[in-house]
Amino acid sequence: MSLVNGNEIFAEARKGHYAVGAFNTNNLEWTRAILGAAQEKNTPVLIQTSMGAAKYMGGYELCLNLVQQTMKSMNITVPVIMHLDHGNYEAAKECIEVGYNSVMFDGHDLPFAENLEKTKEIVKLAHAKGMSVEAEVGSIGGEEDGIIGEGELADVEEAKQIAATGVDYLACGIGNIHGQYPENWKGLNFDRLKELADVISTPLVLHGGSGIPKEQIQKAISMGVAKVNVNTECQMAFAAATRKYIEEGHDQNDIKGYDPRKLLAPGTKAIKDTVESRIEWFGTPAVK
């Protein structure tokens, strides 16, 4: 199956009170693990690159080609959306030109008026090519590619204005953060989520999905969240499995245990297992 923009998928997800997972890729192993998990579960999936990951991997065009060619080699038949995660204005425009199916323009750190105007421009450029657009209002806590947010709650009126630009899904700060959650984290603010969901029909996005308790994620999904972002949990799973392989001496004692194909295999499986688990959490239905 070729890549799709996901508009219908996420609209149906919000209507059906389930979510579709958005998983960041960082290399070939990540890409194979995410696609393999989606195929195993027979569910749609959004695979995304941050600006930093794309730079590390060799650029947006290479990332797009990697996903397309991996889908072909693995005979992936489920719908896959190729997405830019937390892109600035220049990155969003570049990914539109390169041919991503979906882009996130993250203008939350700009003055609101500028965020609004640039969101309108990105929507116009992307929609002209049949691509989806995600925007953000209200800072998501933590750090993502040098963009640091304090986890503020999205302003409802500002969220309504951003949604009115025609974006296809909207990320709103509701107390969520990127990276690992501290012990004193207060949890998601469901009162603010309800206020947003009551006045915005656009599918909502929960960033910082790694580390939020299952019951809170599922409650947020029941209230209008249709896309949940996961990255840190996959990174931690990969690191733990790789560390275990080395600490057990497999790289030194097994026959060619130092071969990167063997060295990276446990971590790749750990990512795949994590993605499959989160697909179950999100209640993503199988493709008919």
Side-chain angles (χ1 to χ4, degrees):
M1 175 174 283
S2 60
L3 292 165
V4 298
N5 70 17
N7 288 357
E8 185 176 334
I9 289 171
F10 287 103
E12 287 298 319
R14 173 154 187 183
K15 190 185 303 181
H17 302 291
Y18 59 86
V20 175
F23 303 93
N24 290 60
T25 186
N26 293 280
N27 57 28
L28 175 62
E29 282 70 31
W30 246 261
T31 302
R32 289 183 61 84
I34 295 166
L35 293 175
Q39 186 69 27
E40 185 78 20
K41 289 295 185 181
N42 193 32
T43 58
V45 70
L46 189 150
I47 187 165
Q48 56 191 20
T49 55
S50 66
M51 293 190 298
K55 181 179 180 180
Y56 167 77
M57 293 169 69
Y60 299 112
E61 187 172 8
L62 187 151
C63 293
L64 176 61
N65 289 338
L66 173 64
V67 171
Q68 290 174 320
Q69 294 304 315
T70 303
M71 288 174 62
K72 182 178 179 181
S73 70
M74 294 179 68
N75 192 29
I76 300 298
T77 59
V78 297
V80 178
I81 302 111
M82 182 71 187
H83 181 72
L84 168 67
D85 185 32
H86 287 284
N88 60 25
Y89 182 67
E90 291 74 20
K93 288 199 299 182
E94 183 175 349
C95 286
I96 291 170
E97 287 302 313
V98 165
Y100 274 47
N101 308 96
S102 180
V103 296
M104 178 186 185
F105 167 58
D106 181 358
H108 84 265
D109 55 335
L110 302 173
F112 178 71
E114 186 177 355
N115 183 10
L116 185 64
E117 286 308 308
K118 287 190 172 178
T119 298
K120 290 178 181 178
E121 291 179 37
I122 294 298
V123 167
K124 183 178 179 180
L125 290 171
H127 284 184
K129 295 193 173 186
M131 301 174 183
S132 303
V133 178
E134 176 182 348
E136 181 174 323
V137 61
S139 173
I140 309 299
E143 185 269 338
E144 182 81 11
D145 276 352
I147 300 175
I148 299 174
E150 297 181 358
E152 67 205 45
L153 301 182
D155 180 273
V156 177
E157 288 304 313
E158 289 184 353
K160 285 171 64 177
Q161 291 183 60
I162 292 287
T165 65
V167 295
D168 303 288
Y169 23 95
L170 181 62
C172 303
I174 54 171
N176 42 322
I177 66 173
H178 292 119
Q180 294 179 265
Y181 283 77
E183 291 184 4
N184 63 350
W185 179 59
K186 297 179 181 179
L188 297 178
N189 189 309
F190 292 106
D191 290 339
R192 180 53 51 91
L193 176 56
K194 183 178 187 306
E195 291 179 89
L196 292 162
D198 282 349
V199 296
I200 297 171
S201 59
T202 307
L204 302 177
V205 182
L206 181 64
H207 281 250
S210 297
I212 300 176
K214 179 179 179 180
E215 62 272 15
Q216 289 196 37
I217 287 180
Q218 292 182 336
K219 182 175 180 178
I221 291 170
S222 73
M223 296 173 66
V225 166
K227 172 178 177 275
V228 181
N229 283 28
V230 177
N231 183 27
T232 301
E233 281 177 340
C234 290
Q235 292 178 336
M236 293 175 67
F238 180 87
T242 304
R243 183 184 306 109
K244 182 174 184 289
Y245 179 89
I246 292 174
E247 288 179 346
E248 291 178 350
H250 296 292
D251 60 317
Q252 296 180 333
N253 301 324
D254 293 0
I255 297 175
K256 289 192 174 181
Y258 51 80
D259 187 319
R261 290 169 291 184
K262 293 185 177 182
L263 178 64
L264 297 175
T268 304
K269 183 180 184 302
I271 297 168
K272 185 172 182 285
D273 291 345
T274 301
V275 173
E276 289 185 10
S277 170
R278 294 306 171 265
I279 288 172
E280 293 175 2
W281 279 26
F282 305 157
T284 317
V287 176
K288 296 180 180 178

